[in-house]
Amino acid sequence: MKFFIDTANLEQIKEAQDMGILDGVTTNPSLMAKEGITGTDNIMKHYVNICKLVDGDVSAEVIATDFDGMVREGEALAELHDQIVVKLPMIKDGIKACKYFSDKGVKTNMTLVFSAGQALLAAKAGATYVSPFIGRLDDISTDGLNLIAEIRMIYDNYEFETEILAASVRHTMHVIDCAKLGADVMTGPLSSITGLLNHPLTDIGLEKFLADFKKGN
Ligand code: G3P
């Protein structure tokens, strides 16, 4: 399972990268705004800075909602760095743009996916990644993990190569459940990654090992 971090915060990206377990980064306009990165030039520069920090794919989202605009923005984003993945909204023109970019060999991430039907369309359009937002489904009392299971079954039935990128992951149990269901990738906040480290028996055990070592020295 690949681990992506879902943030535009450079320190958090660096912290995850330094652990040696990071496979990529996802961003969106809200995450950019949260870091105070505004204006096209600054946003473009920030994507390059993120690419310099990590080894893997970096999803950069278009703002346009029409095909021509998405192609224009997506091409500019893809030119920034070879790690950039063009992130497109799950609407009709987004699917058209996804097909356009996949035919050209440019990596794509279909975002704002909330149904198996949308995920099927994304795979048909050749998306590199499909991003079902599990946390936002949970927010409206709908089982986000069930969507991961449905997409896994559909993609396996037809051997689609599109990778299931579980997004809107909020906590460690989302990560573990997505891994059990066979999601190819998860993207979540730093806490959903570092939280996997925690177990009280580890802390108690380490404390005892160190205390016993001191007794003997
Ligand atoms: O990866 C998608 C993500 O940024 C949305 O997460 O927590 O805002 O639903 P959230």
Side-chain angles (χ1 to χ4, degrees):
M1 187 190 212
K2 291 185 203 167
F3 275 20
F4 289 179
I5 189 169
D6 195 32
T7 184
N9 182 291
L10 296 180
E11 280 160 29
Q12 291 182 16
I13 293 169
K14 191 170 178 326
E15 186 175 334
Q17 173 68 27
D18 286 349
M19 281 174 76
I21 47 76
L22 193 66
D23 301 295
V25 177
T26 51
T27 62
N28 62 38
S30 306
L31 293 171
M32 282 288 180
K34 193 173 162 195
E35 298 308 316
I37 315 291
T38 53
T40 307
D41 286 353
N42 290 332
I43 289 173
M44 298 294 245
K45 277 184 205 147
H46 202 69
Y47 283 136
V48 175
N49 289 335
I50 292 174
C51 289
K52 285 182 187 159
L53 275 184
V54 297
D55 295 327
D57 287 345
V58 175
S59 286
E61 188 160 340
V62 301
I63 304 301
T65 53
D66 64 294
F67 174 75
D68 290 338
M70 286 186 208
V71 166
R72 204 167 39 247
E73 284 180 26
E75 283 178 341
L77 288 168
E79 267 181 28
L80 284 177
H81 202 283
D82 59 10
Q83 285 167 242
I84 293 284
V85 175
V86 178
K87 199 172 181 193
L88 300 156
M90 183 64 228
I91 55 177
K92 195 195 277 181
D93 280 29
I95 284 292
K96 275 176 70 179
C98 178
K99 179 77 173 100
Y100 171 89
F101 283 116
S102 50
D103 283 350
K104 283 182 169 292
V106 174
K107 286 188 177 181
T108 51
N109 176 357
M110 288 306 298
T111 190
L112 292 167
V113 167
F114 293 96
S115 76
Q118 291 177 327
L120 183 53
L121 277 175
K124 293 282 293 172
T128 313
Y129 298 107
V130 66
S131 288
F133 276 32
I134 62 172
R136 290 193 193 183
L137 282 171
D138 289 354
D139 287 345
I140 57 157
S141 313
T142 303
D143 187 357
L145 291 168
N146 185 52
L147 178 58
I148 301 293
E150 282 186 316
I151 301 171
R152 181 74 282 156
M153 182 193 292
I154 291 168
Y155 282 11
D156 287 350
N157 281 347
Y158 298 99
E159 297 182 357
F160 283 123
E161 285 176 12
T162 299
E163 292 186 47
I164 302 172
L165 195 175
S168 185
V169 159
R170 303 273 175 77
H171 48 70
T172 54
M173 279 315 292
H174 270 158
V175 178
I176 293 162
D177 287 332
C178 284
K180 285 184 188 171
L181 292 168
D184 301 288
V185 191
M186 81 83 199
T187 192
L190 181 63
S191 58
S192 70
I193 299 173
T194 54
L196 296 170
L197 288 165
N198 300 335
H199 200 290
L201 290 180
T202 304
D203 300 335
I204 292 165
L206 183 58
E207 206 176 312
K208 173 126 181 46
F209 284 156
L210 295 179
D212 288 344
F213 173 79
K214 271 189 200 147
K215 274 188 219 158
N217 288 278

